[in-house]
Amino acid sequence: MALDNSGQTMNDSDLRFGLVGHGLWGTHHGRAIAGTDGAVLAAVAERSDEGRAAAAAAHPGADVYDDYRRMLDRDDIEAVDIVVPSHLHYEIAAAALDAGKHVLVEKPMVLTMDHCQKLIALAKQKGKVLAVDHEM
């Protein structure tokens, strides 16, 4: 066992998440990840200054980035939770899968069937889980 950046106990088997988007709904995802046994919120990527400040305050053990691409470069992040406006889902999910991460994306997965098929094919090619979050 090791300690994460906030000093909490972390097992080697814990799934390390990166969260993209810490707006209204992203804050709920951040709390859910941080409060789940076996999961660690390792990083948050958020474009707005206010969102980054809120993420840093809410998750002092997580690194906070202004660009999700910098977060995807980290080898220790295994899964990425995407909670941004729908028109950004495809770009970010494809980049995360390309970077070798499992992906959880808010609904809708993407906005076109073509993009759906491309993400599914990329997830299969990379051997990664692609899941869509439905809150109900």
Side-chain angles (χ1 to χ4, degrees):
M1 283 203 273
L3 298 180
D4 69 10
N5 292 341
S6 67
Q8 293 191 331
T9 302
M10 180 180 76
N11 293 313
D12 291 337
S13 62
D14 288 345
L15 185 63
R16 296 177 60 79
F17 277 85
L19 173 64
V20 182
H22 197 266
L24 179 61
W25 203 244
T27 59
H28 298 298
H29 282 243
R31 274 196 313 274
I33 294 166
T36 299
D37 288 338
V40 173
L41 183 59
V44 177
E46 168 59 48
R47 291 192 304 183
S48 78
D49 292 339
E50 298 83 16
R52 285 192 306 278
H59 307 288
D63 296 320
V64 179
Y65 297 92
D66 62 356
D67 188 327
Y68 73 89
R69 293 180 254 327
R70 291 182 45 226
M71 185 182 74
L72 294 180
D73 287 337
R74 289 180 50 172
D75 291 334
D76 65 322
I77 293 177
E78 301 161 278
V80 175
D81 184 358
I82 301 168
V83 191
V84 297
S86 300
H87 70 278
L88 299 172
H89 289 184
Y90 177 74
E91 171 190 328
I92 298 170
L97 288 166
D98 251 346
K101 315 299 184 197
H102 300 288
V103 170
L104 173 65
V105 62
E106 257 305 308
K107 68 170 180 59
M109 183 167 83
V110 289
L111 299 178
T112 69
M113 284 300 295
D114 181 55
H115 283 167
C116 284
Q117 292 167 343
K118 287 180 178 178
L119 284 184
I120 291 166
L122 184 56
K124 286 180 182 177
Q125 174 194 348
K126 297 288 186 172
K128 298 299 173 186
V129 173
L130 170 63
V132 182
D133 178 53
H134 294 270
E135 72 273 5
M136 300 295 180

